[in-house]
Amino acid sequence: MKLRILHVEDSVDDSEIVRRILSGDGIDCEIKRRETRAEFIETLRSGEHDLILADCSLPGFSGLQALALAHEYAPETPFIFVSGTIGEEIAIESLRNGATDYVLKGQLSRLPTAVRRSIQEVEQRERNREMEKRLQQAQKLESVGTLAGGIAHDFNNILTIIKGHASLLERECETPERVREISAIIDHAAVRGSDLVREMLAFARQSGGVFNLNDFSALVREAVEMMRAPLGPRIQLETALDQSLPPLLLDSGQVERILVNLITNARDALPHGGRIVVSTGRINEPATVPCLQGLPMREYAYLQVSDNGTGMTEETRRRIFEPFFTTKAKGKGTGLGMPVVYGVMQMHNGTIDIRSEVGKGTSVELYFPLITEEAHPQVRPPAAAPRDTRGHETLLVVDDEPEVLSFLRIMLEAEGYHVLTAANAEEALALYGQHRDEIQLLFSDLGLPTLSGYDLSEILQRLRPGLKCVLGSGYADTEVKEHLHDTRFIAKPYAPENVLVTIRAVLDRTSSLPAS
Ligand code: ADP
Ligand code: MG
């Protein structure tokens, strides 16, 4: 590749000498020579150069001025003084002002080395920046992943309780008392689930969500279709969706929610009916969109919701993201719609642009950075074939969720097992002390307080080599799974059949070799 050099130099001959020396040293270059300040600025603006060389004294224009201009227009471009008269003081000052190097015209043989070094420095800086950007992205994804994992864990527990007890209902339907007991547990779990959702929503406005690769336009279409019926016949809802968008890393639930908020606002602005248009598309040149100027991403996907409704005043537009700000009648508006939109866009590193004119209508544009990281594949347990799952052995069952524990006990006892239950590793160890000769299998949750289920299984297997262990977890964690040679792993929420089959299979294994 040719090195593009911008040379601030009034002597054609000197510029030619520089070109010859660089080419003679194997540096393939193309030199643009500029003499005046105006010419120099114009060329700087074009940005088409890799290196600036400057003479120190030019008629009507000094080298230091050139340096200041270069600093303003092209701060990343290396700048080398090539001058016949650079005094030591000016040399020092120029280096302090950001010049990369200086070479005296009498010692031009040094020039190729200086040029090579400055280019390498720029490349190194670029590489560092790229690394840093990737690291930040990775950290962000990691924290989102941790949060998603935590939520998934809680939900899995709740679902385990609900699923487990629902399947018990079938078996216990002859005993009204048990049915009442079981349905109370299910109800309680459902309440816990909705509490969790509420907390999550509050939280999601400030921090990470559950990100996945999504077909953006398909997601938008689904949400729009959901809104069509409630809008009524007087409002026309139209779409213009770009089907060619690549999959986007999004929290689909949040994106649906903001779309519902925006369409609801548009509807409220159309009391006598009108038109709402929802469109999606791709921005390849962010510099052309005012609200994206100066932002780092190279590409954006946009979602636009526009209406030809009442529009809003400048005052309303300014306050629109204030929580609880509403112009609607009591009981009609919460004033939380747009703050939620704002929070979700923050979470997606996105940007919002709102244009509105009283009497004409409103257009809300949301810009999502185009990030298309590969999602992590989920680990799923293989489906088990139905077989005899009854048994008479003594099992030590550990889970810090009392309801999960009660479900496991009821289910395992119904199969004939003798079940000892513990809420944590310490309790489990105490029970092991009392029943060491009876216990034939440990079935523990991985995520226990203090000592984990994995630690517990290790301790017990050290006390009793070959003790059979089954570990369950809400985290689909491949790393943990790889560690577990003598142990089987079951994913939560527990499917009762899968638990029974796995426990039976592990008990029936003659040795404790790794399960296939
Ligand atoms: P709410 O809809 O509960 O009032 P929002 O946060 O969704 O709360 O909106 C805040 C205010 O912004 C609304 O009360 C309304 O005055 C104004 N607004 C939002 N969207 C539109 C729109 N499409 N057209 C006109 N005004 C709007
Ligand atoms: Mg609203």
Side-chain angles (χ1 to χ4, degrees), residues 160-341:
T160 301
I161 294 166
I162 295 178
K163 259 186 96 170
H165 284 85
S167 71
L168 285 182
L169 270 183
E170 250 173 70
R171 301 180 191 201
E172 306 272 345
C173 59
E174 310 292 292
T175 340
E177 228 172 276
R178 293 282 301 127
V179 169
R180 258 196 303 280
E181 196 184 307
I182 291 168
S183 62
I185 293 175
I186 292 180
D187 190 61
H188 182 72
V191 170
R192 248 184 74 188
S194 49
D195 286 347
L196 185 63
V197 168
R198 225 190 355 257
E199 271 170 40
M200 242 165 57
L201 290 183
F203 190 60
R205 295 218 347 250
Q206 287 120 39
S207 57
V210 184
F211 286 72
N212 275 309
L213 282 179
N214 282 279
D215 179 341
F216 188 49
S217 290
L219 184 74
V220 170
R221 178 179 303 286
E222 258 173 52
V224 167
E225 289 316 317
M226 207 169 66
M227 294 296 288
R228 197 177 287 284
L231 288 181
R234 293 206 298 180
I235 293 178
Q236 266 175 276
L237 180 56
E238 290 166 21
T239 54
L241 305 178
D242 180 348
Q243 308 295 344
S244 69
L245 284 174
L248 283 191
L249 198 59
L250 299 169
D251 180 328
S252 58
Q254 304 280 24
V255 172
E256 254 169 43
R257 182 165 310 114
I258 60 180
L259 202 51
V260 168
N261 290 352
L262 293 179
I263 295 177
T264 307
N265 281 348
R267 178 205 63 193
D268 292 347
L270 293 166
H272 310 294
R275 191 161 160 244
I276 302 175
V277 183
V278 178
S279 44
T280 58
R282 184 174 187 153
I283 306 280
N284 296 318
E285 284 181 58
T288 60
V289 181
C291 73
L292 296 179
Q293 274 164 15
L295 294 181
M297 292 299 292
R298 258 185 282 137
E299 283 187 286
Y300 289 82
Y302 70 83
L303 166 63
Q304 182 188 44
V305 177
S306 57
D307 63 69
N308 60 352
T310 57
M312 57 185 118
T313 62
E314 184 50 35
E315 152 90 8
T316 299
R317 213 194 68 82
R318 234 182 316 118
R319 300 189 57 191
I320 198 163
F321 296 123
E322 264 177 47
F324 307 110
F325 170 78
T326 177
T327 58
K328 294 170 193 171
K330 229 182 159 131
K332 281 266 162 69
T334 59
L336 285 175
M338 293 307 290
V340 164
V341 172

Side-chain angles (χ1 to χ4, degrees), residues 325-441:
F325 170 78
T326 177
T327 58
K328 294 170 193 171
K330 229 182 159 131
K332 281 266 162 69
T334 59
L336 285 175
M338 293 307 290
V340 164
V341 172
Y342 180 81
V344 170
M345 290 313 288
Q346 291 278 89
M347 226 167 77
H348 288 81
N349 283 332
T351 302
I352 309 173
D353 191 24
I354 299 176
R355 279 171 294 155
S356 187
E357 210 176 312
V358 176
K360 293 244 168 91
T362 301
S363 162
V364 180
E365 277 143 39
L366 310 179
Y367 297 92
F368 296 82
L370 265 182
I371 308 170
T372 53
E373 248 77 7
E374 283 303 312
H376 295 289
Q378 291 276 314
V379 178
R380 295 203 165 278
R387 41 173 153 156
D388 186 16
T389 54
R390 297 191 59 79
H392 56 274
E393 290 90 343
T394 299
L395 314 177
L396 175 55
V397 180
V398 193
D399 200 301
D400 56 335
E401 287 287 328
E403 279 108 346
V404 174
L405 209 50
S406 105
F407 145 63
L408 292 174
R409 175 205 280 281
I410 294 173
M411 177 178 72
L412 290 165
E413 283 180 351
E415 295 294 308
Y417 291 104
H418 182 50
V419 180
L420 302 167
T421 58
N424 53 48
E426 293 76 6
E427 262 182 57
L429 287 171
L431 274 175
Y432 180 80
Q434 291 156 27
H435 302 271
R436 77 183 77 218
D437 298 332
E438 298 143 54
I439 293 172
Q440 276 153 307
L441 178 138

